[in-house]
Amino acid sequence: MSFYGVELSSRLLLGTARYPSPAVLEAAIGASGAEVVTVSLRREAGGERSGQGFWSFIRRQNVRVLPNTAGCHTVKEAVTTAHMARELFDTPWLKLEVIRDDETLQPEVYGLVEAARILVEEGFEVFPYTTEDLAVADKLVEAGCRVLMPWGAPIGSARGLNNVYGLKSLRAHFPDVPLVVDAGLGVPSHAAAAMELGCDAVLLNTAIAEAGDPAAMARAFALAVEAGRAAFLARPMEPRDMAVPSTPVFGKATLA
């Protein structure tokens, strides 16, 4: 799998918020095998540079950082946050979030497209957090995004994949654009289902961070991602309306 020319062996990306302690987060990163973690600029640049300790901790994990613009509601906020993130984390990668609604955390897709266009022109490599809307995805690709991050369901909801049809449509229309399902996954079977649809990766945070045993859950999700990908490559059979016997009936014994 490749994001903006960077080859990765793990198809599981990990968020770094809500963990009960750095030690638990470290164990979860190790158990997941994730090579990319998302980091919020707000956490890093907290009061009186308190985030410096967290940033130092992340750098010790030997993972690639994907800064995000979590909490931004306008194009101006997102672009400004992106500039600060690039300066602080020294990477062109950016998970772009522009939020419309505080209850559902649904993306503000018009602002998202506008911000993406500005940031791509400025040299950012943008990972836009979006809905599964095909028209919006098309605009994001036109703006220069080479990765799409459609939601499975609202952030932190653990509802799984709300719109399988929408995700399948994205896969069909953008066969060469990496799709990373971001948000809404609650259990490993949700991740496996996303991968079986042909998505390239999943990004997880709350489902692991708030599990009773985050490291064990991280491992479970990693296995589910591998299984889902293997199933997609194996080309599953199509569902049927009628029963078909799995045992051949030719040569069946008949009673006189």
Side-chain angles (χ1 to χ4, degrees), residues 176-192:
D176 300 324
V177 177
L179 297 181
V180 182
V181 172
D182 176 16
L185 306 187
V187 291
S189 59
H190 294 160

Side-chain angles (χ1 to χ4, degrees), residues 72-154:
C72 292
H73 288 74
T74 67
V75 173
K76 183 178 180 181
E77 285 180 351
V79 171
T80 300
T81 302
H83 291 165
M84 296 170 65
R86 183 162 62 179
E87 180 178 345
L88 186 61
F89 297 112
D90 192 27
T91 174
W93 280 17
L94 182 79
K95 181 191 169 190
L96 179 61
E97 296 184 26
V98 182
I99 299 300
R100 173 67 179 184
D101 180 72
D102 284 331
E103 291 190 3
T104 64
L105 298 179
Q106 178 162 338
E108 203 289 87
V109 295
Y110 303 103
L112 180 71
V113 172
E114 182 181 351
R117 183 172 291 108
I118 292 170
L119 293 170
V120 168
E121 290 176 353
E122 293 180 348
F124 284 88
E125 295 172 340
V126 177
F127 298 62
Y129 166 64
T130 183
T131 65
E132 68 281 0
D133 187 284
L134 185 60
V136 174
D138 197 38
K139 291 290 185 183
L140 289 167
V141 172
E142 283 182 0
C145 296
R146 292 164 55 195
V147 176
L148 295 171
M149 302 186 82
W151 66 352

